[in-house]
Amino acid sequence: MRWALVKVCLAVTTMVAVAFAVPLGLVVQEMASDRAFSNAERQAATMGPTLSITTDPVQLRKAVESTEMGAARRMAVHVPAIGGAAPVDIGDGWAGARAVAETRSMGRATTAEAAGGGSALLQPIALGSGDIAVIEIYVPESEVSNGVATAWLILAGVGLALVVGSVAVADRLGARLVRPAERLADAAHQLGEGRLGARVPEAGPKELRSAAVAFNSMADQVVELLANERELAADLSHRLRTPLTVLRLNAASLGDGPAAEHTRTAVEQLEREVDTIIRTAREQRPPAATAAPAGCDASEVIRDRMAFWSALAEDEGREVRLAGVDRTVRVPVARAELAAALDALLGNVFRHTPEATPFAVDVHDAGDAVIVLVSDAGPGIADPDAALRRGNDGARDGSTGLGLDIVRRVAESTGGDVRLGRSVLGGTEVRVWLALDDRARRRGPGGRRERRDRRAHSRRRGVRTDPPTG
């Protein structure tokens, strides 16, 4: 906006300056020419009294030499033949005999181009005998254009100063208009980055002041809504403490055995998660916003979580296949975050597929990304796009619609994404794409063709699986 105002002002001022300076310069040039020829006419008129008295060549020569133009050898007198006497020509002529004859015949002053440059003024003078003499005054080009170049320079300087001054004024005015808009945009970026204290000074033009007031009001409402959401999350999480206490007491009475141990471990982990939710909700800013995740070994996390879920899989008669977890695969995701995402995926398998339905977990290192595939032989998902929307439970019992959203946020934190499709087992395949380097992050979810090829390649590799676990 600022440069647009400057450009408009520059164009308008330039046109105005040219519109006034060019005609004014032409007027100055015309005035200089008129001044030179008027001076020549006055000099020619000084010879009128002499010619009215005598036409003697000697007397005329003395009279010519006594004038300013004559002394400068810029005056000539042409007297025609009178009473049989020879014509008299005093001084060198510049216009030629033809121009002198035409002036004598017309009886009025004329101008003609002089040989060698410049102009000649031809002034007719009536003699006592009734004949007409012609006085010729040479006007050099320097007199015709005297002061014109200086006038053009002055006009150009004035026009340039006018243009520069108008541009400076337009720039200052544009800055006053743009600065509030820049502050508004900067505050919007800060608010988008999570700095909830960002506000805009209510200054500038009326429209921008109104926008600043609306932005500050919106920011206050966002802060209030987030505070209410944190309190609600903390309250809801705190309400879970009572049933968790009952579960912990019941788990303690189960005695010994793998199932009892797994149950107690699950209750302890659930208590830790609830405590984390309460602490995070009470804080002004999530801990994840202050530090980047350190990363973890995806294979180790998958093996650990599969060891946890294997007891339930064995109870339900599910065949489990693992592939690609026998080597270290580093991903830029915190261990707790990746574990939560895997628990959400595996929990969906157990909740939404019949017992004895086999499933598989595959890990593939694609160089610039790590792909985690969780596939099952269940009935599949009718609308994959809807299932990825936050809070969409698909009208299924026991579903909050947040599990896949947790997985999606983990993938997108690395620049990757989550895709749902049909697995090689016949059911649902959830493909989690975790970017590893800047090149993959810049490509992001837009590199669909390459990732579709990678997914097909991963499926072909996923056919070769390790022996069942659990």
Side-chain angles (χ1 to χ4, degrees), residues 109-122:
T110 62
T111 58
E113 292 184 1
S119 302
L121 173 68
L122 303 173

Side-chain angles (χ1 to χ4, degrees), residues 52-122:
S52 63
I53 297 174
T54 180
T55 58
D56 180 61
V58 177
Q59 297 297 327
L60 289 177
R61 188 177 298 279
K62 290 181 179 180
V64 168
E65 292 177 353
S66 65
T67 62
E68 179 183 351
M69 292 295 178
R73 304 181 64 84
R74 291 171 50 188
M75 177 183 288
V77 178
H78 306 284
V79 180
I82 301 174
V88 178
D89 292 309
I90 299 174
D92 298 328
W94 295 269
R98 182 177 178 181
V100 172
E102 290 177 354
T103 301
R104 184 176 290 121
S105 63
M106 288 188 294
R108 59 183 177 83
T110 62
T111 58
E113 292 184 1
S119 302
L121 173 68
L122 303 173

Side-chain angles (χ1 to χ4, degrees), residues 430-468:
V430 182
R431 178 180 60 85
V432 184
W433 190 73
L434 304 174
L436 297 181
D437 56 16
D438 293 338
R439 178 165 51 90
R441 292 188 181 95
R442 286 193 298 268
R443 184 170 64 247
R448 296 181 179 178
R449 178 175 299 178
E450 180 177 345
R451 284 181 283 156
R452 282 199 297 267
D453 298 340
R454 187 185 298 121
R455 180 172 61 183
H457 177 64
S458 300
R459 284 177 174 175
R460 289 193 296 270
R461 292 175 57 187
V463 175
R464 298 172 57 188
T465 58
D466 295 339

Side-chain angles (χ1 to χ4, degrees), residues 26-41:
L26 295 177
V27 169
V28 170
Q29 184 174 348
E30 186 67 22
M31 290 177 61
S33 177
D34 291 344
R35 183 174 60 251
F37 283 103
S38 296
N39 183 48
E41 289 178 357

Side-chain angles (χ1 to χ4, degrees), residues 333-391:
V333 179
R335 190 184 192 284
E337 297 292 331
L338 183 58
L342 288 171
D343 286 341
L345 293 176
L346 296 175
N348 283 342
V349 173
F350 283 91
R351 276 191 296 269
H352 303 302
T353 61
E355 294 187 5
T357 300
F359 66 94
V361 179
D362 303 333
V363 180
H364 304 287
D365 188 352
D368 61 349
V370 170
I371 302 171
V372 179
L373 297 175
V374 177
S375 54
D376 60 62
I381 298 177
D383 191 350
D385 293 334
L388 286 173
R389 290 198 292 268
R390 177 178 175 84

Side-chain angles (χ1 to χ4, degrees), residues 221-458:
Q221 292 180 10
V222 169
V223 171
E224 183 178 357
L225 290 174
L226 289 177
N228 293 336
E229 183 180 356
R230 284 195 298 268
E231 292 299 326
L232 179 60
D235 292 343
L236 291 177
S237 301
H238 194 272
R239 293 179 186 180
L240 295 176
R241 293 259 181 125
T242 300
L244 279 177
T245 302
V246 176
L247 286 176
R248 181 162 52 81
L249 294 176
N250 291 338
S253 63
L254 291 178
D256 298 331
E261 187 62 30
H262 279 297
T263 302
R264 284 190 287 269
T265 302
V267 172
E268 291 176 359
Q269 181 182 2
L270 185 58
E271 285 183 327
R272 289 194 300 269
E273 293 295 338
V274 170
D275 291 340
T276 301
I277 293 174
I278 294 175
R279 287 195 302 269
T280 303
R282 294 295 185 184
E283 292 177 355
Q284 293 296 322
R285 184 171 298 182
T290 58
C296 64
D297 179 8
S299 298
E300 188 273 331
V301 175
I302 292 174
R303 289 195 302 267
D304 177 72
R305 300 319 300 156
M306 286 303 300
F308 173 80
W309 290 96
S310 61
L312 183 57
E314 184 177 359
D315 291 341
E316 294 186 358
R318 296 177 183 269
E319 179 185 355
V320 183
R321 293 186 299 173
L322 286 176
V325 297
D326 54 346
R327 61 186 181 278
T328 300
V329 180
R330 300 291 302 181
V331 292
V333 179
R335 190 184 192 284
E337 297 292 331
L338 183 58
L342 288 171
D343 286 341
L345 293 176
L346 296 175
N348 283 342
V349 173
F350 283 91
R351 276 191 296 269
H352 303 302
T353 61
E355 294 187 5
T357 300
F359 66 94
V361 179
D362 303 333
V363 180
H364 304 287
D365 188 352
D368 61 349
V370 170
I371 302 171
V372 179
L373 297 175
V374 177
S375 54
D376 60 62
I381 298 177
D383 191 350
D385 293 334
L388 286 173
R389 290 198 292 268
R390 177 178 175 84
N392 184 12
D393 57 8
R396 294 175 295 182
D397 294 336
S399 174
T400 62
L402 299 179
L404 288 178
D405 186 69
I406 294 174
V407 180
R408 178 183 57 80
R409 284 189 286 111
V410 169
E412 290 181 352
S413 68
T414 69
D417 68 349
V418 177
R419 299 283 171 162
L420 299 182
R422 180 66 63 177
S423 72
V424 294
L425 299 179
T428 302
E429 176 192 83
V430 182
R431 178 180 60 85
V432 184
W433 190 73
L434 304 174
L436 297 181
D437 56 16
D438 293 338
R439 178 165 51 90
R441 292 188 181 95
R442 286 193 298 268
R443 184 170 64 247
R448 296 181 179 178
R449 178 175 299 178
E450 180 177 345
R451 284 181 283 156
R452 282 199 297 267
D453 298 340
R454 187 185 298 121
R455 180 172 61 183
H457 177 64
S458 300

